[in-house]
Amino acid sequence: MHLELESKIEKNLYGKIVSWQVSVFLPINIFRRKEMSEKKWVYLFNEVKEAEAYAGSWDAVRGLLGGKGANLAEMTRIGMPVPPFFTVTTEGCNAYLAEGNKFPGGMWDQMLAALKEVEKASGKKFGDPKNPLLVSCRSGAKMSMPGMMDTVLNIGLNDETAKGMVALTENERFVYDAYRRLISMFGTVVLNIKDEAFEHALDAVKKAKGTTADTDLTADDLKGLVEKYKEVVKKEKGFDFPQEPLEQMKLATEAVFGSWNGKRAIDYRRAEKIPDDLGTAVNIVTMVFGNTGWESGTGVAFTRNPATGENKLYGEYLLNAQGEDVVAGIRNTDPITKMAETLPEAYEEFIKITEKLEKHYHDMQDMEFTVENRRLWMLQTRNGKRTAAAAVKIAVDMANEGLISKEEAVQRVTPTQVDTLLHPQFTGNTKDDAKKAGKRFATGVNASPGAAVGQVYFDADTAERMAKEEGQQVIMVRPFTKPDDVHGMLAAKGILTSEGGATSHAAVVARQFGVPCIVGASMMKINMEKRLLESDGTVVKEGEWISIDGGSGDAFVGKLEMSAPSLEEQTDLLTLLGWADEICDRPGTRKAPEGWPTTGLQVWANADYPQDARRARSYGARGIGLCRTEHMFFEQERLPIVQRMILAESSEERTKALNELLPYQRADFAGLFEAMDGYPVIIRLIDPPLHEFMPSEEALLEEVITMRVKGETQGLEEKENLLASIRAMHESNPMMGLRGIRLSIVMPEIVEMQVRAIFEAAADETLKGVDARPEVMIPLTGHVNELHYIQPRLVEIAKEVMKEKGVEFHYKFGTMIEIPRAALTAAEIAGVAEFFSFGTNDLTQMTYGYSRDDAERNFLVTYVEKGILPVNPFQSVDTAGVGRLMKMSVEEGRAVRPELEVGICGEHGGDPDSIEFCHTIGQNYVSCSPFRVPVARLAAAQAAIKHAAK
Ligand code: PEP
Ligand code: MG
């Protein structure tokens, strides 16, 4: 094609006739050729600069070369021992997939050219029996993805090069070990043959030999195994294992590209919200061998402990082994520190490298290395996955060590990780008792902390099905896990394996997802046929309950009780959250008009009782954003009084009942002011429709009918009257009926009593020396006239009480914005209300017209699954609709009252994405349940950093 075009050009340049066809045709083709030759699909180990120039930033280089490729190139640049390699870009992967699984133009040629350079650098030749270069083919997306672990080692080996290598190394055993590994890896990863086919062949050889260890197999055994493996390929696929090295490389590259769209990769991307169009890069790396003998080995290590965060090298290695052996947990590994004795020079160099890498990347590194005949080679480094506890400790330690700033530390921990740390644990006593009672049936490596209680299932599909379809709490129990098991692991509350070590697949994935996990509980024998496990004399059948403690590595039969951990004991988390508050408190964080807050968001809490308020304060809340007063009405001794008050036929009768309730309410409020001394306390006046406080109509009707049928007369009339009253209260749409401010207008005595109770309590507390700051919140306002009607009366009561008690303190009257009309008329409402609080539960219900009590059950989950809605709007603020109303309310409200205090007290107040949105629209605070306060503090600081005023 290329030459033809050239000859056409010559002909036209020198010929006498220039046809119009050529003159049109020519420039297009020149353009195409230029495009094709300019597109660089492949980067060599020493071309990281070129990648940076093309991509523009380090993050983009990672996007282009994948995390693995970018870090290998970076390690090469800073002088670390990395075997020569080249990387095919993620753009190449996307082009391959877009073109219907075809290499885009130029890619293969570029791979061949790069291979030549790798040959030069390594001094070996691919496919040359005299001095063969072997390579590995490794996938590597921008983010490390345990769902894609398709690595093929020893590419380039065939019958001929194997012989050549034997002559070169004089180590026949090593060569045939490498060759059989190539065939099985290639067979499973590239040709999709089931592992078992190769495992059976290996087991047969070992059995014949009377051993269980791979290392006992001789050169001849392995040579025989190579032939058996070839037969497996032929039998399963109908063709021979490809002998041509270039074909091996090409097929392996295609397999990596193809695996991007494999089920396990897709599952993982969904779980981690990784976009589908990132693609994966492919790294072709010169092989170095950890299995040439006992002066070679391979291992994985973390610069700090990924389970606890302790600043101490953590890892394991195996002598005379190849990469996958360590991760697969097939042989028992040694702790990395032991390498100081077995491979001292390599260990010393490795220690120096780990220190340098952590300083270079400013983060904990997860590294893979190989030692070949005492020489160290680095095969990978990446930011290590870690547990929630480790994430917090590492972030705080690194900031204290001066390696990162406090802002970076705050960004290093995710809100979910903070949430995990406050999740339930088993208490010491519970476990001790269970041990004494002989319930502990296994112990293993404490791979991912946390407590989990669930029913046992022995495979990923069943585990997932039981969790999703049956709604069961599931513990997945397996000998070990593989990438195909990720869906089951995601659905499980806990994971327990009988094999594998601290860096095995199960451990790594569990830590990443915060799933409690124990690995290597080797006393367990899992019988997949009978679907049961036996351990230490105990039998656990599929479906039975067990409890596991991933922090200690203990597994128990039955359900152990869990309890919430205390924040006070988690000193690193307290430090981190202290920094988060410091960041939010900086004036100038938000550039804003006069009167608007310039610091970040504050976090307040929704708390109805003094004990909730105390917990909220200990979790770092700086105010109460919502006290739902009606909850107090439900208490046993109060409910009859409340019902009397509701059924009262005259105002005097009602007032009498209310006077009985007043001391209760006053005591409740006093407790809140005391707990929140110095912080604002927003108390919402009664909100729900009154029928909620009455007995159920159905139950009462049944009682009345039974009495009538049985002819019982005593008390019948009373019950009939009650039934009539309840029926009279019936509304077709109670959520839109007589509730909130409407109830206050129709029946003002209740809120008058509540306001009196609030102010009497605040006055008494003030006189005791407490700094009480009451803010009275009127719910469900829809029209400013409602406020005009009720608010001044209530303010009068407040003033009256302060006068009676002879004390003055600061107070506010405000309203909830939870009806779209209130948002649309925010300017009018702000003329009366001194603060707004977004009741996003109702505001979402009324903006969407979805019932907050029924939508999830009926259609909302389906909507989210089908992608009709991106998220559940009752969990995360719908910024385009509900959020727009909120933004408008802030702007129009503050146009009238610049100092207007604005917060949120719906469920969204504890949701990190919604918190970020609240920050951007200029709110003063978010309010959420006490347990979510720590998460919200972190999320608020992260929003402040992300949107910091320049
Ligand atoms: C709301 O509607 O968001 C709110 C906080 O009030 P409630 O949930 O009590 O209706
Ligand atoms: Mg509401």
Side-chain angles (χ1 to χ4, degrees):
M1 185 69 191
H2 184 70
L3 282 174
E4 257 179 51
L5 195 63
E6 289 288 333
S7 70
K8 267 188 192 161
I9 295 165
E10 275 178 11
K11 236 183 172 178
N12 283 287
L13 283 174
Y14 299 113
K16 288 187 179 151
I17 303 162
V18 178
S19 84
W20 65 270
Q21 269 177 316
V22 173
S23 63
V24 172
F25 178 72
L26 201 57
I28 295 168
N29 276 284
I30 285 174
F31 173 73
R32 278 212 190 119
R33 270 179 50 218
K34 216 169 152 214
E35 265 274 277
M36 266 155 51
S37 64
E38 269 178 8
K39 188 77 203 171
K40 191 168 164 60
W41 304 112
V42 175
Y43 285 81
L44 265 172
F45 54 90
N46 55 6
E47 289 186 327
V48 66
K49 249 198 178 140
E50 284 82 343
E52 266 174 344
Y54 171 74
S57 68
W58 183 245
D59 188 61
V61 170
R62 288 173 49 85
L64 181 71
L65 302 181
K68 195 177 286 168
N71 284 345
L72 280 175
E74 184 63 7
M75 282 199 289
T76 309
R77 170 154 72 180
I78 59 176
M80 292 183 176
V82 175
F85 70 96
F86 65 85
T87 304
V88 187
T89 63
T90 53
E91 291 179 349
C93 170
N94 286 336
Y96 171 88
L97 296 172
E99 290 185 23
N101 297 347
K102 274 202 218 90
F103 277 15
M107 186 199 278
W108 182 242
D109 288 343
Q110 289 179 30
M111 286 176 75
L112 294 178
L115 187 63
K116 285 265 167 308
E117 295 303 316
V118 170
E119 285 174 345
K120 257 190 234 159
S122 65
K124 298 174 185 174
K125 250 177 119 74
F126 199 54
D128 178 359
K130 286 198 217 86
N131 184 22
L133 168 71
L134 304 192
V135 295
S136 64
C137 174
R138 295 161 186 270
S139 68
K142 182 174 182 184
M143 288 86 164
S144 79
M145 293 178 47
M148 300 192 46
M149 283 170 60
D150 298 290
T151 293
V152 183
L153 303 177
N154 307 333
I155 292 174
L157 268 179
N158 57 21
D159 296 350
E160 294 310 310
T161 52
K163 279 184 210 148
M165 272 193 81
V166 173
L168 265 183
T169 61
E170 294 175 3
N171 190 343
E172 196 174 26
R173 188 193 180 283
F174 150 67
V175 173
Y176 284 96
D177 188 35
Y179 194 10
R180 63 102 184 175
R181 285 168 192 270
L182 167 65
I183 303 173
S184 64
M185 280 186 249
F186 195 91
T188 52
V189 174
V190 181
L191 304 177
N192 289 320
I193 300 171
K194 282 210 154 58
D195 294 342
E196 289 78 28
F198 295 104
E199 275 162 24
H200 288 326
L202 175 62
D203 287 345
V205 173
K206 283 201 263 187
K207 205 167 171 198
K209 181 104 193 154
T211 181
T212 54
D214 296 4
T215 42
D216 287 344
L217 300 181
T218 62
D220 279 343
D221 296 331
L222 293 166
K223 228 170 163 176
L225 195 56
V226 163
E227 293 310 314
K228 293 233 161 59
Y229 278 6
K230 283 196 216 159
E231 283 164 24
V232 169
V233 173
K234 180 92 189 180
K235 183 166 162 252
E236 297 287 330
K237 303 307 289 186
F239 54 78
D240 288 324
F241 169 74
Q243 289 284 317
E244 171 54 55
L246 284 177
E247 193 187 349
Q248 293 172 4
M249 183 171 93
K250 188 162 191 226
L251 289 172
T253 304
E254 289 187 309
V256 173
F257 288 156
S259 71
W260 181 252
N261 283 335
K263 177 176 167 14
R264 64 196 200 201
I266 292 174
D267 280 351
Y268 184 83
R269 289 204 292 274
R270 294 288 170 277
E272 289 288 277
K273 299 199 180 90
I274 297 173
D276 284 332
D277 61 359
L278 287 184
T280 178
V282 177
N283 299 292
I284 303 289
V285 188
T286 302
M287 280 300 306
V288 285
F289 298 97
N291 55 338
T292 57
W294 298 101
E295 289 197 323
S296 301
T298 185
V300 291
F302 294 83
T303 53
R304 300 184 188 219
N305 187 315
T308 64
E310 191 191 3
N311 187 2
K312 209 169 142 196
L313 191 67
Y314 177 91
E316 46 193 352
Y317 80 109
L318 273 173
L319 286 178
N320 199 7
Q322 228 178 10
E324 300 305 289
D325 297 350
V326 177
V327 183
I330 292 162
R331 267 168 61 193
N332 284 336
T333 53
D334 281 323
I336 192 86
T337 42
K338 196 156 174 232
M339 205 171 119
E341 297 156 29
T342 53
L343 298 166
E345 302 97 334
Y347 182 70
E348 205 174 302
E349 190 185 358
F350 182 63
I351 295 294
K352 281 195 196 123
I353 285 177
T354 62
E355 285 162 7
K356 195 166 163 189
L357 278 177
E358 203 182 80
K359 289 211 174 81
H360 187 76
Y361 285 108
H362 299 257
D363 202 352
M364 184 262 264
Q365 294 298 295
D366 162 5
M367 301 147 302
E368 285 179 21
F369 65 92
T370 282
V371 179
E372 181 181 278
N373 301 328
R374 287 191 281 157
R375 179 155 182 210
L376 175 74
W377 292 98
M378 295 301 295
L379 298 182
Q380 173 160 311
T381 192
R382 59 184 170 186
N383 294 341
K385 306 263 185 255
R386 61 206 77 181
T387 63
V392 172
K393 178 160 173 56
I394 291 171
V396 170
D397 284 353
M398 283 193 166
N400 285 334
E401 290 159 23
L403 214 53
I404 58 174
S405 65
K406 286 180 184 173
E407 285 78 4
E408 278 169 313
V410 162
Q411 285 169 295
R412 289 277 169 93
V413 176
T414 64
T416 316
Q417 285 171 325
V418 173
D419 201 27
T420 306
L421 287 177
L422 300 170
H423 271 165
Q425 309 277 350
F426 300 129
T427 60
N429 284 346
T430 311
K431 282 203 310 186
D432 287 346
D433 293 348
K435 281 180 201 167
K436 275 187 211 136
K439 289 187 177 171
R440 184 168 65 179
F441 68 91
T443 54
V445 178
N446 49 346
S448 176
V453 176
Q455 289 168 268
V456 169
Y457 290 100
F458 292 111
D459 67 87
D461 291 341
T462 317
E464 186 189 41
R465 188 161 41 80
M466 289 303 177
K468 285 198 176 157
E469 290 172 20
E470 307 289 324
Q472 291 189 7
Q473 283 170 243
V474 165
I475 304 226
M476 189 169 109
V477 181
R478 297 280 301 158
F480 54 88
T481 67
K482 290 192 294 196
D484 321 352
D485 296 323
V486 168
H487 58 294
M489 301 169 82
L490 286 173
K493 293 268 178 255
I495 297 160
L496 172 62
T497 73
S498 54
E499 297 170 24
T503 56
S504 62
H505 179 262
V508 170
V509 175
R511 277 199 288 273
Q512 186 185 354
F513 292 120
V515 182
C517 173
I518 302 173
V519 296
S522 52
M523 64 288 287
M524 261 179 5
K525 299 277 166 290
I526 299 170
N527 187 329
M528 290 301 286
E529 267 143 43
K530 293 192 185 151
R531 313 283 301 178
L532 54 80
L533 72 84
E534 283 180 80
S535 179
D536 221 8
T538 307
V539 175
V540 180
K541 295 196 193 110
E542 192 156 60
E544 288 183 351
W545 288 86
I546 62 167
S547 304
I548 64 166
D549 185 339
S552 67
D554 296 307
F556 303 89
V557 284
K559 297 189 208 178
L560 262 57
E561 202 180 311
M562 297 193 276
S563 60
S566 84
L567 179 63
E568 294 80 46
E569 286 164 16
Q570 306 196 39
T571 47
D572 288 321
L573 181 56
L574 284 176
T575 306
L576 190 81
L577 293 175
W579 293 345
D581 293 346
E582 217 176 283
I583 289 163
C584 279
D585 286 347
R586 278 179 208 148
T589 296
R590 286 188 279 188
K591 268 215 182 89
E594 194 57 33
W596 291 48
T598 68
T599 56
L601 287 169
Q602 284 200 359
V603 178
W604 297 7
N606 295 355
D608 301 338
Y609 299 98
Q611 73 263 28
D612 298 339
R614 281 192 288 274
R615 181 190 296 278
R617 188 163 188 162
S618 77
Y619 277 18
R622 311 257 198 102
I624 299 291
L626 172 65
C627 162
R628 291 180 165 102
T629 47
E630 62 273 4
H631 286 179
M632 299 158 167
F633 288 176
F634 284 104
E635 280 180 27
Q636 221 182 1
E637 72 259 80
R638 306 185 193 184
L639 196 57
I641 314 176
V642 173
Q643 292 174 346
R644 231 185 318 124
M645 179 270 291
I646 294 170
L647 295 172
E649 279 172 7
S650 66
S651 185
E652 291 85 65
E653 222 183 297
R654 176 161 298 128
T655 308
K656 192 164 162 272
L658 284 166
N659 282 343
E660 281 180 57
L661 282 173
L662 188 131
Y664 287 119
Q665 287 256 281
R666 192 172 49 215
D668 296 329
F669 299 145
L672 287 182
F673 292 131
E674 222 168 279
M676 297 309 283
D677 188 359
Y679 287 139
V681 176
I682 295 187
I683 298 170
R684 180 179 74 181
L685 303 179
I686 189 166
D687 181 41
L690 292 181
H691 74 83
E692 286 193 13
F693 302 101
M694 303 304 286
S696 112
E697 188 184 331
E698 261 174 51
L700 199 58
L701 180 64
E702 210 178 299
E703 264 184 66
V704 168
I705 292 173
T706 314
M707 286 175 85
R708 281 189 195 145
V709 171
K710 287 188 176 166
E712 291 170 13
T713 48
Q714 208 185 345
L716 177 63
E717 195 186 335
E718 218 172 276
K719 286 206 173 9
E720 282 173 340
N721 288 345
L722 185 59
L723 182 62
S725 305
I726 293 173
R727 282 185 164 161
M729 277 182 213
H730 177 84
E731 291 177 300
S732 302
N733 256 326
M735 270 292 184
M736 297 192 184
L738 183 62
R739 58 175 284 222
I741 194 167
R742 301 158 208 164
L743 185 61
S744 314
I745 290 170
V746 174
M747 223 182 259
E749 298 92 334
I750 307 175
V751 289
E752 284 167 4
M753 177 278 285
Q754 288 191 305
V755 170
R756 175 159 279 279
I758 293 168
F759 282 82
E760 284 184 359
D764 293 346
E765 290 302 311
T766 308
L767 290 170
K768 275 201 243 162
V770 170
D771 180 2
R773 301 186 182 191
E775 301 193 6
V776 179
M777 180 152 78
I778 300 170
L780 228 67
T781 302
H783 196 291
V784 69
N785 287 347
E786 293 173 306
L787 281 184
H788 277 309
Y789 180 87
I790 198 75
Q791 190 171 308
R793 295 168 180 232
L794 300 178
V795 173
E796 269 321 299
I797 295 173
K799 287 187 179 153
E800 217 173 274
V801 174
M802 287 199 283
K803 209 161 155 202
E804 279 165 26
K805 299 265 182 185
V807 61
E808 292 238 335
F809 44 84
H810 189 70
Y811 66 91
K812 280 183 187 167
F813 275 80
T815 189
M816 292 182 78
I817 303 290
E818 46 189 347
I819 289 185
R821 194 182 185 286
L824 292 165
T825 58
E828 287 178 3
I829 294 193
V832 187
E834 292 169 290
F835 66 86
F836 284 175
S837 176
F838 293 114
T840 42
N841 302 334
D842 274 313
L843 191 59
T844 303
Q845 166 168 263
M846 305 215 204
T847 303
Y848 264 107
Y850 294 168
S851 161
R852 58 192 267 190
D853 299 314
D854 311 304
E856 266 107 339
R857 179 161 49 95
N858 289 337
F859 61 90
L860 202 48
V861 173
T862 314
Y863 267 33
V864 175
E865 271 172 13
K866 289 193 187 303
I868 293 168
L869 294 181
V871 286
N872 178 343
F874 288 108
Q875 282 173 348
S876 197
V877 167
D878 153 48
T879 51
V882 176
R884 188 155 174 231
L885 288 172
M886 293 165 70
K887 185 167 188 285
M888 214 177 78
S889 304
V890 180
E891 286 164 1
E892 297 187 5
R894 290 225 182 98
V896 173
R897 190 188 289 271
E899 310 282 340
L900 184 76
E901 170 190 285
V902 185
I904 180 173
C905 62
E907 285 313 298
H908 307 80
D911 166 63
D913 290 338
S914 309
I915 291 171
E916 184 182 342
F917 177 74
C918 293
H919 174 97
T920 61
I921 62 171
Q923 286 186 201
N924 300 76
Y925 68 89
V926 293
S927 186
C928 56
S929 87
F931 284 104
R932 290 171 97 184
V933 166
V935 172
R937 287 163 70 194
L938 184 82
Q942 291 182 340
I945 295 166
K946 187 168 165 192
H947 300 279
K950 296 278 168 351

